[in-house]
């Protein structure tokens, strides 16, 4: 039998390029939330793909930005950590994009000694001649990188890239038990599902001022009962989240419940309430409490 391979495959890139879409496609589960808004992902999230003779440990990371407040600095710490332990680095760009939002990260990619796969995503919305021009551009920028055009959304070239990553993985015993899919507890997925609905339904700054904490998660034979708090930074935001006659909040609850029933494959009852936690995203203690501590 072939020797066992295992390693860390870390996905980095600008916001909204499709990093989470790719990780979910590789894992075959919705581990990371996906929306059309930038900064959807706030943590480093592991997705583990197990085969008889390999274990691929993927990391989805937040999109690279220049941080403006503490929460964003912590998000960039997750990205930095992803440069440090990668066996294979996936740098994802989307069609039409020219450079990373932060040049220091780009220099890190340029100077890294690990294998770099540059994935040019969203080719389903691109013309052939644009695609060729982009491949050439990135080849000049990163001569050492392997370039693969893909569509993470439509699963184009995703399997081929997956096979190529396995080739690049070092020989190693598995790092995690073979049945493990992620490093995150169940409550994390509850929080993220609720946050996804908030990103989808509220405008401007609201989703970025929100953090979720699931206080109760009780699984019975038939049903999982959960209670989660939606935290906002200011009183005015609380009213917006709740909405007229509570309708906006109700919608978040209904949609999150449907997704969570699919995710856990069980009936779900979810109770939501809203609380003001003044300026939590600039407060180091609060950030630690919500799991944004440097790794
Ligand atoms: N047309 C097209 N859209 C895509 C593709 N991959 C992802 N998207 C869309 O791009 C948007 C962002 O996708 P995400 O996977 O959330 O992107 P991300 O890089 O994880 O974003 P952040 O977490 O905010 O950094 C979503 O609306 C996706 O549906 C693709 O291959 N083609
Ligand atoms: Mg993401």
């Amino acid at each position: 039998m072939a020797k066992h391979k295992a390693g860390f495959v870390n996905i980095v890139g600008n916001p909204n390029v499709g990093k989470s879409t790719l990780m979910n496609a590789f894992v075959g589960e919705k581990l990371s939330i996906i929306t059309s808004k930038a900064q959807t992902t706030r943590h480093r999230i592991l997705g583990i793909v197990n085969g008889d003779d390999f274990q691929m440990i993927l990391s989805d990371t937040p999109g690279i930005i220049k941080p403006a407040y503490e929460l964003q600095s912590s998000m960039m710490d997750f990205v930095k950590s992803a440069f440090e332990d990668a066996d294979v680095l996936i740098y994802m760009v989307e069609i039409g994009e020219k450079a990373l939002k932060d040049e220091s990260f780009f220099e890190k990619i340029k100077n890294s000694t690990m294998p770099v796969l540059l994935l040019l995503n969203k080719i389903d919305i691109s013309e052939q001649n644009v695609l060729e021009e982009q491949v050439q551009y990135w080849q000049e920028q990163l001569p050492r990188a392997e370039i693969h055009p893909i569509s993470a959304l439509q699963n184009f070239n995703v399997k081929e890239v997956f096979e190529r990553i396995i080739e690049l993985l070092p020989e190693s015993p598995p790092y995690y038990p073979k049945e493990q899919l992620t490093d995150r507890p169940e409550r994390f997925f509850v929080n993220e599902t609720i946050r996804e609905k908030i990103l989808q339904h509220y405008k401007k700054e609201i989703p970025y001022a929100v953090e979720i904490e699931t206080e109760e998660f009780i699984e019975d034979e038939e049903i999982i009962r959960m209670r989660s708090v939606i935290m906002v930074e200011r009183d005015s935001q609380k009213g917006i989240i709740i909405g007229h006659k509570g309708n906006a909040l109700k919608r978040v609850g209904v949609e999150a419940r449907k997704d969570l029933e699919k995710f856990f494959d069980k009936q779900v009852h979810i109770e939501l309430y809203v609380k003001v936690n003044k300026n939590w995203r600039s407060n180091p203690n609060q950030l630690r409490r919500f799991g944004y501590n440097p790794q």
Side-chain angles (χ1 to χ4, degrees):
M1 201 172 115
K3 289 242 170 73
H4 193 276
K5 292 179 146 197
F8 288 84
V9 180
N10 301 347
I11 311 172
V12 300
N14 276 338
N16 217 35
V17 294
K19 299 179 295 300
S20 300
T21 307
L22 179 73
M23 178 161 97
N24 290 349
F26 278 160
V27 180
E29 291 277 346
K30 191 176 165 188
L31 289 184
S32 280
I33 59 168
I34 297 169
T35 79
S36 59
K37 291 206 171 95
Q39 297 177 54
T40 295
T41 304
R42 285 181 181 171
H43 298 264
R44 178 174 171 178
I45 302 164
L46 297 195
I48 306 169
V49 188
N50 291 299
D52 287 340
D53 53 5
F54 73 90
Q55 179 170 73
M56 188 189 294
I57 305 147
L58 296 147
S59 283
D60 183 17
T61 64
I64 293 171
I65 46 167
K66 294 224 158 134
Y69 44 88
E70 258 336 282
L71 168 63
Q72 293 183 330
S73 302
S74 305
M75 286 160 60
M76 292 310 103
D77 288 340
F78 289 136
V79 183
K80 280 180 205 140
S81 77
F83 278 94
E84 276 147 29
D85 61 15
D87 293 298
V88 176
L89 188 69
I90 294 188
Y91 173 31
M92 184 178 267
V93 297
E94 65 179 311
I95 287 284
E97 183 187 319
K98 288 288 182 192
L100 269 177
K101 302 253 188 291
D102 184 325
E103 301 86 36
S104 63
F105 279 108
F106 192 69
E107 286 303 308
K108 274 193 177 185
I109 294 172
K110 238 176 173 164
N111 301 328
S112 76
T113 50
M114 62 199 116
V116 175
L117 300 191
L118 186 141
L119 303 187
L120 183 52
N121 192 29
K122 307 197 185 179
I123 62 165
D124 53 297
I125 50 172
S126 147
E127 306 280 342
Q128 185 63 28
N129 57 340
V130 178
L131 176 59
E132 282 164 16
E133 179 262 316
Q134 294 259 296
V135 170
Q136 201 182 345
Y137 170 81
W138 286 111
Q139 199 67 79
E140 284 160 15
Q141 294 292 310
L142 293 172
R144 278 190 45 253
E146 260 180 48
I147 301 185
H148 297 267
I150 66 162
S151 167
L153 188 66
Q154 300 196 347
N155 241 321
F156 177 81
N157 223 8
V158 168
K159 189 163 175 288
E160 289 75 4
V161 171
F162 185 83
E163 300 295 334
R164 177 65 186 133
I165 297 171
I166 291 177
E167 282 176 15
L168 292 170
L169 289 181
E171 270 179 26
S172 159
Y175 291 85
Y176 293 88
K178 278 284 177 111
E179 67 284 353
Q180 196 170 334
L181 188 68
T182 179
D183 61 330
R184 297 278 165 176
E186 287 156 327
R187 286 174 199 229
F188 176 78
F189 297 100
V190 179
N191 298 346
E192 288 289 270
T193 304
I194 297 166
R195 207 164 56 76
E196 183 185 69
K197 302 309 163 203
I198 289 172
L199 276 153
Q200 285 167 349
H201 294 308
Y202 297 86
K203 293 197 191 85
K204 296 189 184 143
E205 196 57 14
I206 296 282
Y208 302 103
V210 161
E211 179 62 30
I212 318 292
E213 192 166 51
T214 294
E215 296 180 328
E216 204 173 272
F217 185 100
I218 301 171
E219 184 159 5
D220 290 336
E221 204 125 317
E222 298 287 313
I223 192 167
I224 313 175
R225 292 176 202 283
M226 354 181 147
R227 190 178 66 237
S228 309
V229 193
I230 299 172
M231 257 164 272
V232 290
E233 291 210 295
R234 293 195 302 270
D235 287 320
S236 58
Q237 294 164 339
K238 181 173 171 175
I240 295 171
I241 293 282
I242 294 169
H244 181 61
K245 290 188 178 161
N247 283 334
L249 183 61
K250 221 173 279 164
R251 173 155 85 161
V252 169
V254 169
E255 292 185 12
R257 175 176 54 75
K258 284 185 186 153
D259 281 15
L260 289 166
E261 286 183 337
K262 248 187 246 149
F263 187 80
F264 291 114
D265 199 15
K266 214 172 209 178
Q267 202 183 328
V268 161
H269 179 270
I270 186 161
E271 187 189 326
L272 293 178
Y273 65 101
V274 189
K275 218 157 124 179
V276 178
N277 181 342
K278 283 234 166 7
N279 301 323
W280 65 267
R281 62 180 189 178
S282 309
N283 179 332
N285 288 334
Q286 292 300 311
L287 289 171
R288 240 190 318 278
R289 164 177 165 200
F290 300 135
Y292 297 105
N293 24 352
Q295 293 171 326

